C-alpha cells in the first residue's frame, strides 16, 4: 500500500471514529484504538513515518495535558491521603505485574518492568467522568480520589524515566536543562498568555510545543524519555492554564484533532489480534493480577479514608488507559517489548478501563443527590448537585 | 392529579413536542414543570479535557432549546425550571423524578439514531420501564 493511500485511510478512520464517539458517548480514544486495530489487522494498514512522529508527539502532549489537569489545590489539601492511596495503588500492581511477567510468563527483566509500569497506572479521565456524573468531584471523597490518581500518574512518569535511563553525563544534562526549562516556564508563560492568547497567530500554543519539542530532543539525546519533564511542565503550568481557558481550549483542539488520534490509532495498528489469541492465558493472568493488586493496594486505605465508598473507590483506582498505553508504546518503540507483548499489555489496559468502571457504576455507585438550589427562571446546571463539600 | 411534571429535553423535535404536551397538562392541572437535559459524558475517556469539553458543549447546545421552552411556559404562566446534569439520560431522568417527587415524566419518541438506540437503548423505553411515577411518551 502506498503511503498516500495509507494516509487517506488513516484520515477516514479518524473521522469515522469521531462520529461514532459522539453518537455513542464513548470516549474517542477507545474508539480510535479499536479503529487502529481494525485498520492494522483487517485493512492491511501499517504505520508510516509521519504517523510514528505524530504519535510520539501525541504521547508527550497527552502527558503534558495530564500534568496540566492536576488540581494543585486539592492535591495540597489531601496530600497525605493521596500519597498513601496513590502510592500503594502504584506500587502493589507494579510489583504484582512485574513479578507475574518475570516469573510466570518469563518475559525479560526490562519487558517485565514495562509490564509493571503499564499495569500500575490509574486513569484519571475515566475516573473523572464517573465522579462528575455522581457529583462527587466537588466533595472531599472526590478530591482524594482525583489527587490519588495524580500521584499514580506522576509515579508512572517517574518510573518510566528513572528505570530506563542510564546514568551518564547526558542524562545529567537532561535533568539540569529540563529543570531549568520547568523553572523558567511559569515566569514566561503568564506574560505570553496574557499578551498573545487572543492572537490567531497563536504564539503561546507554539511556545508550549516548542517546550515539548525541547524535552523530546533532550530525551532522545540522552537516551531517556520526555515523559517526566512533560508531565512536570504541565503540572507547574496548571494554575496558569486554569486561568486561561482560551489557551487550554486551543491546545485541546490541536491535540484532539490530530495528535491524540495519531497516538491511539497508531497504538491500535501495533496490536496484533493473532498474538492476543495466542496469549489469551497470560492476558487474563495480567488482568487478574492488575485488578487484585489494585484491590490489595487501595482497599485498606480506601476503607480508612473513604469508608462509605471503599469498594467504589478501589474499582475506580483500578482503571487504566492513557498512561498504560503510553508506557506500552514506549516499551515497543524502544525495543524493550515485542509486538506480541505490546498487544497483550494494551488489551489488558483497555479492559481495565472498561471492566472496573462498569462494575463500579453498575453495583457500587454512590447515590446521586440532586440538591437543587433552585433558581426559578434560570438555566441551572449541576453546580447545585452533589453531597456537599465534605469535611 | 399532577403537581410536578418532568420533561426529558434534548435537541430533537420529539422532545419539543413532549414539552408542548407537558406544558398543556401543567396548565390544566396547575402543576409546575422541570425541563431536564442530561449530558452523556464520554465513557472511558483518555483525558479530563475530553470530558470537560463534552460537558461544556452539551450545555451550549441545549441552552437555546431550554430558554425557548421556558419562554413558552412563562407565556402560559406555568412555573418551569430548567436543569442540565451530567449523566446517562434515562438514568438521570429516573433518579431525578424519584428524588424530586415528580409525579409524571414526559418524554418524546424517536429522538435517537438506530445505532444509538441499539447501543444505549431507547430513553423512552427505559424511562417507561423504570420511572417511579407515571410516564407519558409523546409521539
Ligand atoms: N439527553 C437527554 N436528556 C433528557 N432527555 C432526553 C435525552 N435524550 C433523550 N431524551 C428524551 O427521551 C426521548 C426519546 O429519546 P430517544 O431515546 O433518543 O428516542 P427513542 O426513545 O425513541 O429511542 C426524547 O424525545 C427526550 O424527551
Ligand atoms: Mg456512566
Amino acid at each position: 500500500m502506498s503511503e498516500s493511500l495509507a494516509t487517506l485511510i488513516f484520515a477516514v478512520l479518524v473521522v469515522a471514529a469521531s462520529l461514532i464517539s459522539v453518537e455513542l458517548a464513548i470516549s474517542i480514544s477507545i474508539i480510535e484504538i479499536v479503529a487502529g486495530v481494525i485498520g492494522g489487522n483487517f485493512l492491511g494498514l501499517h504505520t508510516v513515518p509521519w504517523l510514528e512522529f505524530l504519535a510520539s508527539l501525541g504521547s508527550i502532549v497527552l502527558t503534558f495535558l495530564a500534568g496540566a489537569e492536576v488540581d494543585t489545590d486539592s492535591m495540597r489539601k489531601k496530600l497525605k491521603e493521596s500519597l498513601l492511596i496513590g502510592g500503594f495503588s502504584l506500587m502493589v500492581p507494579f510489583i504484582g505485574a512485574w513479578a507475574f511477567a518475570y516469573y510466570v510468563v518469563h518475559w525479560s527483566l526490562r519487558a517485565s518492568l514495562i509490564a509493571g509500569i503499564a499495569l500500575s497506572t490509574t486513569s484519571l479521565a475515566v475516573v473523572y467522568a464517573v465522579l462528575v456524573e455522581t457529583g462527587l468531584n466537588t466533595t472531599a471523597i472526590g478530591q482524594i480520589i482525583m489527587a490519588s490518581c495524580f500521584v499514580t500518574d506522576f509515579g508512572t512518569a517517574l518510573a518510566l524515566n528513572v528505570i530506563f535511563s542510564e546514568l551518564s553525563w547526558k542524562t545529567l544534562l537532561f535533568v539540569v536543562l529540563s529543570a531549568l526549562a520547568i523553572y523558567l516556564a511559569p515566569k514566561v508563560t503568564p506574560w505570553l498568555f496574557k499578551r498573545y492568547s487572543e492572537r490567531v497567530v497563536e504564539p503561546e500554543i507554539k511556545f508550549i510545543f516548542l517546550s515539548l519539542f525541547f524535552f523530546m530532543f533532550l530525551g532522545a539525546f540522552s537516551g531517556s524519555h520526555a515523559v517526566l519533564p512533560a508531565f512536570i511542565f504541565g503540572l507547574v503550568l496548571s494554575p496558569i492554564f486554569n486561568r486561561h481557558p482560551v489557551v487550554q481550549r486551543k491546545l485541546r483542539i490541536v491535540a484532539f484533532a490530530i495528535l491524540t488520534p495519531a497516538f491511539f490509532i497508531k497504538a491500535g495498528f501495533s496490536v496484533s489480534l493473532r498474538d492476543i489469541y495466542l496469549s489469551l492465558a497470560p492476558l487474563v493472568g495480567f488482568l487478574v493480577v492488575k485488578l487484585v493488586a489494585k484491590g490489595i493496594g487501595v482497599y485498606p486505605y480506601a476503607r480508612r479514608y473513604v469508608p462509605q465508598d471503599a469498594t467504589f473507590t478501589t474499582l475506580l483506582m483500578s482503571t487504566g488507559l492513557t498512561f498504560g498505553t503510553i508506557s506500552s508504546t514506549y516499551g515497543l518503540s524502544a525495543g524493550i517489548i515485542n509486538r506480541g507483548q505490546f498487544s497483550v499489555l494494551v488489551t489488558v489496559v483497555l479492559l481495565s478501563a472498561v471492566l472496573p468502571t462498569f462494575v463500579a457504576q453498575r453495583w457500587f455507585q454512590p447515590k446521586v443527590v440532586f440538591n437543587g438550589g433552585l433558581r426559578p427562571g434560570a438555566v441551572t446546571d449541576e453546580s447545585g448537585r452533589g453531597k456537599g463539600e465534605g469535611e | 392529579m399532577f403537581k410536578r411534571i418532568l420533561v426529558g429535553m434534548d435537541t430533537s423535535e420529539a422532545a419539543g413536542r413532549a414539552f408542548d404536551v407537558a406544558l398543556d397538562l401543567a396548565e390544566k392541572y396547575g402543576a409546575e414543570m422541570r425541563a431536564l437535559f442530561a449530558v452523556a459524558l464520554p465513557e472511558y475517556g483518555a483525558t479530563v479535557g475530553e470530558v470537560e469539553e463534552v460537558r461544556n458543549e452539551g450545555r451550549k447546545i441545549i441552552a437555546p432549546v431550554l430558554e425557548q421552552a421556558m419562554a413558552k411556559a412563562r407565556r402560559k404562566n406555568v412555573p418551569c425550571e430548567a436543569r442540565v446534569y451530567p449523566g446517562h439520560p434515562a438514568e438521570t431522568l429516573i433518579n431525578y423524578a424519584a428524588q424530586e417527587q415528580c409525579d409524571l415524566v414526559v418524554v418524546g419518541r424517536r429522538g435517537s439514531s438506530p445505532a444509538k438506540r441499539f447501543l444505549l437503548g431507547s430513553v423512552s423505553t427505559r424511562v417507561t420501564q423504570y420511572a417511579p411515577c407515571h410516564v407519558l411518551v409523546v409521539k
Side-chain angles (χ1 to χ4, degrees):
Chain A
M1 186 182 302
S2 73
E3 189 169 323
S4 53
L5 180 60
T7 303
L8 182 65
I9 299 178
F10 168 79
V12 171
L13 288 178
V14 169
V15 174
S18 57
L19 298 182
I20 294 172
S21 161
V22 172
E23 287 301 326
L24 302 183
I26 295 180
S27 138
I28 179 70
S29 1
I30 297 253
I31 312 243
E32 280 161 355
I33 296 184
V34 173
V37 172
I38 293 172
N41 288 273
F42 300 110
L43 308 180
L45 287 179
H46 48 84
T47 110
V48 286
W50 65 261
L51 183 60
E52 292 281 339
F53 170 74
L54 285 186
S56 67
L57 178 58
S59 79
I60 296 305
V61 170
L62 276 167
T63 311
F64 170 79
L65 286 175
E69 280 156 358
V70 173
D71 174 1
T72 35
D73 274 350
S74 65
M75 183 89 187
R76 222 166 285 143
K77 262 188 270 168
K78 305 285 174 202
L79 194 61
K80 186 174 141 228
E81 294 92 327
S82 54
L83 280 177
L84 277 171
I85 298 184
F88 279 90
S89 140
L90 177 81
M91 237 137 62
V92 181
F94 175 79
I95 294 169
W98 169 78
F100 182 79
Y102 191 68
Y103 292 109
V104 181
V105 290
H106 303 298
W107 288 10
S108 73
L109 178 63
R110 280 158 63 84
S112 306
L113 288 168
I114 288 284
I117 297 173
L119 300 187
S120 59
T121 64
T122 287
S123 170
L124 174 63
V126 173
V127 171
Y128 182 73
V130 177
L131 292 179
V132 168
E133 279 180 6
T134 42
L136 284 173
N137 59 321
T138 56
T139 67
I141 296 173
Q143 285 181 346
I144 292 176
I145 297 180
M146 287 192 285
S148 307
C149 293
F150 302 140
V151 170
T152 311
D153 278 356
F154 185 79
T156 311
L158 189 69
L160 265 185
N161 263 80
V162 172
I163 294 180
F164 295 104
S165 301
E166 282 142 35
L167 215 54
S168 70
W169 68 270
K170 285 184 175 177
T171 314
L172 199 68
L173 201 63
F174 168 84
V175 172
V176 171
L177 289 180
S178 302
L180 190 67
I182 289 165
Y183 172 77
L184 290 176
K187 309 198 183 323
V188 182
T189 37
W191 171 79
L192 257 174
F193 284 12
K194 194 156 170 248
R195 187 170 164 88
Y196 294 111
S197 67
E198 305 297 330
R199 307 297 177 90
V200 77
V201 194
E202 321 297 6
E204 80 293 1
I205 301 291
K206 290 168 182 163
F207 171 75
I208 290 175
F209 277 100
L210 166 65
S211 313
L212 298 181
F213 283 129
F214 180 59
F215 297 134
M216 285 168 81
F217 164 74
L218 285 178
F221 164 77
S222 65
S224 186
H225 198 281
V227 165
L228 186 61
F231 187 84
I232 301 179
F233 183 63
L235 193 69
V236 299
L237 289 190
S238 78
I240 307 163
F241 238 52
N242 288 331
R243 284 199 301 274
H244 292 88
V246 183
V247 179
Q248 198 172 34
R249 197 175 148 75
K250 282 181 191 168
L251 195 69
R252 283 173 182 167
I253 291 173
V254 180
F256 297 165
I258 179 91
L259 299 174
T260 57
F263 174 72
F264 286 110
I265 290 188
K266 149 84 192 354
F269 278 172
S270 309
V271 168
S272 145
L273 287 179
R274 207 181 106 83
D275 285 328
I276 293 177
Y277 178 72
L278 294 175
S279 323
L280 275 183
L283 194 153
V284 173
F286 272 120
L287 185 63
V288 170
V289 167
K290 166 162 190 185
L291 298 181
V292 170
K294 282 279 182 187
I296 296 172
V298 176
Y299 191 73
Y301 292 99
R303 273 294 291 272
R304 172 148 12 129
Y305 294 116
V306 271
Q308 320 86 297
D309 299 306
T311 310
F312 178 74
T313 304
T314 307
L315 283 165
L316 288 189
M317 295 293 296
S318 312
T319 57
L321 182 60
T322 310
F323 274 87
T325 314
I326 290 176
S327 317
S328 311
T329 307
Y330 169 70
L332 181 68
S333 58
I336 300 170
I337 56 176
N338 62 32
R339 199 164 161 219
Q341 293 166 327
F342 175 84
S343 307
V344 169
L345 289 182
V346 168
T347 310
V348 174
V349 166
L350 274 188
L351 289 173
S352 77
V354 176
L355 290 180
T357 321
F358 182 80
V359 173
Q361 287 186 301
R362 189 93 172 71
W363 288 290
F364 297 98
Q365 177 136 317
K367 191 162 179 263
V368 176
V369 180
F370 306 90
N371 51 9
L374 307 182
R375 278 195 285 136
V379 176
T380 50
D381 64 16
E382 63 275 20
S383 55
R385 180 195 212 189
K387 294 181 160 181
E389 269 301 314
E391 313 179 352
Chain B
M1 181 73 205
F2 301 123
K3 292 202 179 65
R4 185 175 290 166
I5 301 176
L6 174 64
V7 191
M9 288 300 277
D10 61 8
T11 50
S12 67
E13 271 173 41
R17 285 195 296 277
F19 183 86
D20 292 342
V21 172
L23 181 58
D24 191 62
L25 284 173
E27 199 183 10
K28 291 194 170 107
Y29 286 103
E32 62 171 29
M33 290 179 71
R34 297 283 159 83
L36 189 161
F37 174 63
V39 185
L41 300 180
E43 304 267 10
Y44 325 120
T47 57
V48 167
E50 180 185 357
V51 179
E52 289 277 279
E53 294 296 334
V54 169
R55 192 172 162 196
N56 292 337
E57 282 161 10
R59 286 179 189 148
K60 232 180 256 166
I61 290 172
I62 202 67
V65 177
L66 288 177
E67 259 147 39
Q68 219 180 9
M70 307 250 286
K72 267 188 201 167
R74 260 196 305 276
R75 281 197 293 277
K76 297 203 169 186
N77 280 322
V78 172
C80 176
E81 287 169 17
R83 291 279 182 278
V84 181
Y85 289 118
H88 188 284
E91 195 181 300
T92 307
L93 284 170
I94 293 160
N95 286 340
Y96 188 87
Q99 268 177 47
E100 296 289 301
Q101 280 104 32
C102 301
D103 32 31
L104 175 68
V105 184
V106 184
V107 289
R109 180 92 189 143
R110 255 164 243 164
S112 60
S113 62
K116 205 178 202 166
R117 195 171 305 152
F118 175 74
L119 273 139
L120 292 184
S122 139
V123 175
S124 55
T125 311
R126 291 259 179 100
V127 171
T128 314
Q129 263 173 346
Y130 299 111
C133 57
H134 298 299
V135 176
L136 176 60
V137 180
V138 175
K139 288 215 176 185

